[in-house]
Amino acid sequence: MGRSATTKDAHALFHSLRSAYAATPNHLKIIDLYILFAVATAVIQVAYMAIVGSFPFNSFLSGVLSCVGTAVLAVSLRIQVNKDNKEFKDLPPERAFADFVLCNLVLHLVIINFLG
Amino acid sequence: MARDFGFLILAVLVLAATCESAVVSPVSESHRSAALELFSPADGSYGSLEETYEALKTFKVLGIEKKHDIRTSSCASVADALKSTSSALKDFVDALRVNSILKCELNSEAVRGIQSKLKDSLNGANSLIDFYYSIGGLVLLKEQISEVDVHLGDADRIFRSIKALGQSDGRWRLSSNNPESSNNAAGIALEALAGVISLATPQIDNSLITTLKNDILKLFDGIERYDDGTCYFDEKLVGARGHQSPLSSSASVVRGIAAIAAATTETLNLPGEKILGLAKFFLGVGVPGSAHDLYHQIDALSCLENIRESTPLILSLPATVISVTKKDQLKVRASTVLGSPAPTLSVRLMQIFVSGSKDASVIDQKLKFDAASGMHVLETLPKNIDVGSYIFSFEVIFHNPEHKKTYVSGGRTRVLVHITGVIKTDNAEIVILDGDRGSVETQKKLKLPGDNAVALSANHLQKLRLSFDLSTPFGNVFKPHQAFLKLRHESGVDHIFLVGNSGKKFEIILDFLGLVEKFFYLSGRYDIQLTVGDADMENSFLQPLGFVELDLPDAPEKATRPPPQAVDPYSRYGPKAEISHIFRAPEKRPAKELSLAFLGLVLVPFFGFLAGLAQLGPNLKNFPKSTVPSTFAILFHLGIAAVLALYALFWLKLDLFTTLKALGLLGMFLMFVGHKTLSHLASTSSKLKSV
């Protein structure tokens, strides 16, 4: 009884989240997908390292950190672009996107240098 | 009289014991062959007139007939230099110098032109070099062409202007602006002043010449000297004409002084021993390696040879090692610096000092003059001279007392002479003695020097005695520099002992009881080697005598180990032992298939991203339609792609600096383009919003 209630609640929660999520604008969904992609790549790299060992360590670090870094930048882009966010009302989304592109380029320069 | 003389000798003894002895030899065939080699013309000429003059002067002094026919080309250069209007003063003077030796035919018109140029420059001269060249040129003209009138009317003024550049220490400055004075400049000034004296009509005031004599004496006060009496002039500062070596500075001063001595009839009272010291300096150079140095040396020596009042005389010994066994005789040659025979004189051996000690004996033996070879020969060695090193002190006595005033021989000449001979060794024997009683156990006679192979055996309670006698060919005691006995163990450890002597008998006793610890308790076969040697011993020897089988007690616990033996010295240059490097074990790398599998796996999220993107359905509606903004937009995307391509290149082969440079350029482009695009987008979206 309790179990089915919790599962039912979980289902209900899941459904409500799903429907709420469908309401988000498309461009935010694209950004979310990008973040997912980056994190998935990072996880796979960590799994690989767990199997074969961490040599060369700098390559592993640069690979993982590039994924994580780009995910973080994407998150900050999402925050700034989201119209519901009162804090960044006056910031034009193009400006945020320009920042995202620039920061990514710098991040990737550092990553490529560290990759070895 | 004899007692005073003896006292004087005693005073000289103390001095002589500390003085070095130097042997110089006069100019010889080696100088002549060096001159021919160094002054060989390239393509029939020597290059500049200055070099031509140096070569010709050197050949002339050394008496070398000119093997190379350079007369035609040199005379042509001389004529060219004299005719040319753009030649400097130095070129005229060099040309006239060459002509003074070659005696070419000169164009009289050119000569007149030269004469007026020289006189003009003399009147307008204010630096030492100008005076030197103008006066030098006029003197040379006067020597070569008698009909030319080159007399100086205002000689006094010129003399004083040159003297004004002189300093109180006897040196000269090159010009009134230049505060540095040098010996080289002094030599040049003296030559110029000598020229003024010879050209002056009427004669120069005598008082000026007296001040000049004082200047010369002051110049000599600044001379440098070595312990053995060699003197030279050196420059303290590097002057305007670059670094002058002592050779060229001394040669310059000698030329100046010789010119003054030739120009005036007064006596200059030059310090004789310093003139002799200068002669020794020039001869002590040996045979110089460069043509320039050879010229300076030979020119200075010819000036010294012809100097009026103090011509130096050199005592030289062709051989300073005399063998008593071969019955050599000591020969001494007295000559001038250029090798010409000296006036009639006799050489006396006055004293002999034993090298390295204060012993000396007064000899006063006259050397016999052998007219055929021109040498003074010491026919018999003095009585108490045996094998060893000695310093012989010679003195020159002139037959004609007048010569004493015009020649300088420097009082006593000290020469280091080695008397060598064959040293006789007799009564050599090696004996093993019983320790307590001293009785002889084994006795073997030795033949020294010669082949010996004794085989002895001893234990630690016994002693080994080696003895031999050494005597000189005259039967006297001889103490060599080296008398060593070496015992070498079969493992390589060796021990060296000095052999002492009492009189003629040399003896060493090795008491093995006391030496056990020194020998590191090593028993076994010891090879015996005897060395007797000396610089004056003609038959020094280093010989193996045989071996001794030593039986020593066993080493206790705390005994010192014998030192490790040196590696064979020749193996130092052979290949070394192979070094096996220990590398860090390489990291375990995963299997190739696994890595490739994961490569594929990593690309999976990317495809997942693309799939999700397709599902979401993004559009390019907001992409600018009109030309200019669309170009910018395209360029923006291309720019980003370019930057990513640059990063790929960076990883593949570029280095950081090139990348940063390219990135800077691309970044600026991207900024510009991106700004344009995004601002356009922003303006369109704000327009939409407002609408």
Side-chain angles (χ1 to χ4, degrees):
Chain A
M1 194 59 182
R3 199 185 296 165
S4 62
T6 44
T7 43
K8 242 206 225 157
D9 284 335
H11 276 297
L13 187 63
F14 188 62
H15 277 302
S16 67
L17 275 174
R18 210 162 160 198
S19 53
Y21 189 66
T24 55
N26 228 5
H27 53 274
L28 292 180
K29 280 200 204 148
I30 295 174
I31 296 176
D32 289 338
L33 189 60
Y34 180 72
I35 293 170
L36 251 172
F37 152 59
V39 173
T41 316
V43 165
I44 292 179
Q45 286 183 52
V46 172
Y48 180 65
M49 186 219 81
I51 295 175
V52 299
S54 70
F55 181 80
F57 194 55
N58 57 307
S59 313
F60 160 68
L61 272 182
S62 93
V64 168
L65 286 177
S66 106
C67 295
V68 168
T70 197
V72 164
L73 287 171
V75 164
S76 79
L77 176 69
R78 191 187 195 281
I79 291 171
Q80 288 176 346
V81 159
N82 196 352
K83 283 196 248 333
D84 298 329
N85 200 339
K86 298 288 184 299
E87 214 177 298
F88 290 102
K89 199 155 45 101
D90 299 322
L91 186 74
E94 284 80 17
R95 167 74 195 278
F97 179 67
D99 286 342
F100 171 73
V101 166
L102 188 68
C103 292
N104 256 316
L105 289 178
V106 172
L107 171 74
H108 283 92
L109 174 68
V110 174
I111 290 300
I112 294 285
N113 193 22
F114 195 53
L115 193 60
Chain B
M1 172 73 179
R3 192 193 282 181
D4 293 338
F5 197 57
F7 203 78
L8 192 62
I9 295 298
L10 203 64
V12 173
L13 257 183
V14 179
L15 264 178
T18 52
C19 280
E20 307 244 340
S21 50
V23 182
V24 291
S25 40
V27 167
S28 63
E29 276 311 307
S30 48
H31 287 89
R32 291 191 179 84
S33 55
L36 281 169
E37 206 180 293
L38 289 169
F39 285 115
S40 51
D43 307 326
S45 75
Y46 285 107
S48 69
L49 280 169
E50 189 180 344
E51 285 164 27
T52 315
Y53 170 65
E54 287 183 2
L56 289 171
K57 185 78 199 288
T58 310
F59 287 151
K60 185 173 166 197
V61 171
L62 290 174
I64 299 174
E65 286 305 313
K66 286 188 285 296
K67 297 264 169 65
H68 317 288
D69 184 23
I70 44 139
R71 201 195 149 84
T72 33
S73 57
S74 306
C75 280
S77 329
V78 165
D80 281 338
L82 291 177
K83 253 193 301 218
S84 154
T85 47
S86 62
S87 300
L89 214 52
K90 183 175 180 315
D91 297 328
F92 289 142
V93 176
D94 284 336
L96 286 170
R97 276 188 185 150
V98 171
N99 191 45
S100 68
I101 301 181
L102 286 179
K103 303 202 185 353
C104 312
E105 290 288 322
L106 286 182
N107 185 345
S108 55
E109 209 179 286
V111 164
R112 272 197 292 278
I114 298 295
Q115 185 192 350
S116 59
K117 278 202 193 110
L118 287 172
K119 278 212 165 134
D120 289 337
S121 69
L122 180 56
N123 288 330
N126 54 4
S127 84
L128 193 57
I129 303 289
D130 292 337
F131 277 120
Y132 172 66
Y133 280 122
S134 17
I135 296 174
L138 289 170
V139 168
L140 286 164
L141 266 182
K142 185 176 170 191
E143 287 171 7
Q144 293 166 34
I145 299 145
S146 44
E147 53 269 3
V148 155
D149 163 40
V150 287
H151 298 290
L152 294 175
D154 55 348
D156 270 8
R157 178 192 67 86
I158 298 172
F159 196 98
R160 274 182 233 274
S161 345
I162 299 179
K163 264 208 52 81
L165 292 170
Q167 306 280 80
S168 56
D169 62 355
R171 295 186 197 188
W172 250 262
R173 285 172 295 149
L174 281 172
S175 70
S176 39
N177 315 336
N178 192 352
E180 291 167 358
S181 62
S182 65
N183 286 318
N184 188 51
I188 293 173
L190 289 173
E191 270 190 81
L193 288 170
V196 172
I197 295 172
S198 64
L199 290 176
T201 47
Q203 290 281 334
I204 288 266
D205 194 7
N206 269 347
S207 60
L208 289 173
I209 300 190
T210 318
T211 51
L212 185 60
K213 284 202 290 195
N214 291 335
D215 285 335
I216 293 178
L217 290 174
K218 270 185 271 173
L219 187 62
F220 268 107
D221 284 340
I223 205 170
E224 310 262 352
R225 44 183 316 142
Y226 289 129
D227 284 339
D228 60 0
T230 309
C231 303
Y232 62 97
F233 287 99
D234 199 3
E235 305 295 6
K236 297 277 188 301
L237 307 159
V238 176
R241 301 172 94 198
H243 178 73
Q244 295 281 342
S245 64
L247 189 61
S248 61
S249 304
S250 311
S252 172
V253 174
V254 165
R255 263 185 278 222
I257 292 175
I260 299 278
T264 168
T265 49
E266 299 195 23
T267 50
L268 293 175
N269 295 326
L270 297 168
E273 73 279 2
K274 289 183 183 165
I275 296 285
L276 186 65
L278 278 169
K280 279 191 189 164
F281 168 71
F282 287 114
L283 288 173
V285 170
V287 179
S290 80
H292 215 55
D293 285 344
L294 182 64
Y295 161 69
H296 282 307
Q297 182 199 36
I298 298 297
D299 193 29
L301 286 173
S302 82
C303 289
L304 285 173
E305 169 116 345
N306 300 321
I307 214 168
R308 202 169 21 96
E309 351 179 314
S310 1
T311 315
L313 282 180
I314 303 290
L315 279 182
S316 56
L317 273 75
T320 51
V321 177
I322 309 291
S323 169
V324 159
T325 319
K326 293 198 205 110
K327 301 213 180 327
D328 292 339
Q329 286 181 319
L330 187 68
K331 297 194 176 122
V332 177
R333 189 173 154 218
S335 65
T336 62
V337 292
L338 289 181
S340 321
T344 39
L345 49 81
S346 47
V347 179
R348 298 185 82 91
L349 172 63
M350 301 302 289
Q351 270 188 298
I352 298 183
F353 307 92
V354 175
S355 169
S357 83
K358 294 252 177 17
D359 298 342
S361 36
V362 179
I363 309 294
D364 199 3
Q365 183 176 342
K366 187 172 158 187
L367 277 73
K368 183 165 179 287
F369 180 65
D370 175 20
S373 60
M375 302 276 200
H376 299 262
V377 180
L378 185 69
E379 292 187 304
T380 49
L381 283 176
K383 289 279 182 305
N384 46 353
I385 295 304
D386 207 336
V387 173
S389 305
Y390 299 93
I391 296 180
F392 280 32
S393 178
F394 295 99
E395 192 172 312
V396 164
I397 315 269
F398 292 101
H399 288 172
N400 184 351
E402 286 295 314
H403 287 155
K404 231 172 148 175
K405 297 195 196 104
T406 46
Y407 288 96
V408 181
S409 63
R412 298 287 173 92
T413 309
R414 276 174 291 277
V415 181
L416 179 64
V417 175
H418 291 276
I419 311 281
T420 65
V422 172
I423 303 294
K424 224 165 19 137
T425 6
D426 331 291
N427 301 336
E429 64 175 11
I430 188 162
V431 173
I432 301 286
L433 299 165
D434 245 348
D436 297 336
R437 294 175 307 246
S439 62
V440 173
E441 200 190 298
T442 337
Q443 182 174 22
K444 294 271 167 72
K445 285 253 180 279
L446 296 169
K447 196 169 33 106
L448 289 173
D451 282 327
N452 296 288
V454 301
L456 303 167
S457 68
N459 61 31
H460 65 287
L461 297 168
Q462 292 172 321
K463 299 185 198 174
L464 181 139
R465 183 181 81 198
L466 171 72
S467 59
F468 53 91
D469 291 345
L470 287 178
S471 55
T472 68
F474 295 117
N476 298 324
V477 172
F478 182 72
K479 191 154 161 41
H481 290 146
Q482 298 169 329
F484 305 133
L485 179 70
K486 182 155 99 166
L487 285 172
R488 189 188 171 95
H489 188 242
E490 48 204 356
S491 69
V493 180
D494 51 36
H495 310 275
I496 300 179
F497 304 94
L498 288 174
V499 181
N501 73 319
S502 54
K504 282 195 211 168
K505 190 167 153 91
F506 282 75
E507 186 181 62
I508 181 169
I509 299 179
L510 294 178
D511 185 0
F512 293 122
L513 194 61
L515 290 171
V516 162
E517 211 174 299
K518 186 171 186 313
F519 281 16
F520 306 110
Y521 296 88
L522 285 171
S523 302
R525 197 176 129 135
Y526 281 82
D527 289 323
I528 309 173
Q529 189 186 73
L530 179 65
T531 307
V532 174
D534 191 271
D536 299 317
M537 185 168 156
E538 286 176 20
N539 57 335
S540 306
F541 59 85
L542 189 162
Q543 287 200 312
L545 298 177
F547 66 89
V548 58
E549 199 71 50
L550 266 187
D551 184 18
L552 301 175
D554 292 325
E557 281 287 321
K558 287 273 165 61
T560 43
R561 312 292 314 147
Q565 285 314 294
V567 183
D568 170 25
Y570 289 103
S571 73
R572 199 191 301 176
Y573 302 111
K576 287 209 179 287
E578 197 67 31
I579 302 173
S580 56
H581 298 277
I582 302 170
F583 291 106
R584 192 179 54 161
E587 294 286 331
K588 202 161 53 88
R589 294 299 192 110
K592 202 153 132 197
E593 296 79 18
L594 188 63
S595 307
L596 286 170
F598 263 92
L599 183 67
L601 205 58
V602 157
L603 289 174
V604 163
F606 180 64
F607 292 118
F609 174 64
L610 287 177
L613 219 54
Q615 211 176 29
L616 282 172
N619 52 38
L620 283 171
K621 267 198 286 209
N622 254 353
F623 197 82
K625 297 289 186 312
S626 41
T627 347
V628 169
S630 70
T631 348
F632 280 129
I634 291 173
L635 281 176
F636 177 65
H637 288 288
L638 282 179
I640 295 183
V643 172
L644 292 177
L646 177 69
Y647 288 168
L649 257 180
F650 173 37
W651 185 52
L652 284 173
K653 60 177 189 176
L654 294 178
D655 58 84
L656 187 62
F657 297 106
T658 349
T659 317
L660 282 176
K661 258 191 290 191
L663 187 64
L665 294 166
L666 267 179
M668 278 195 295
F669 166 73
L670 196 61
M671 288 282 204
F672 173 69
V673 160
H675 178 72
K676 277 278 192 235
T677 311
L678 290 171
S679 54
H680 177 261
L681 275 178
S683 65
T684 39
S685 61
S686 67
K687 264 193 234 152
L688 271 174
K689 261 197 225 155
S690 58
V691 164

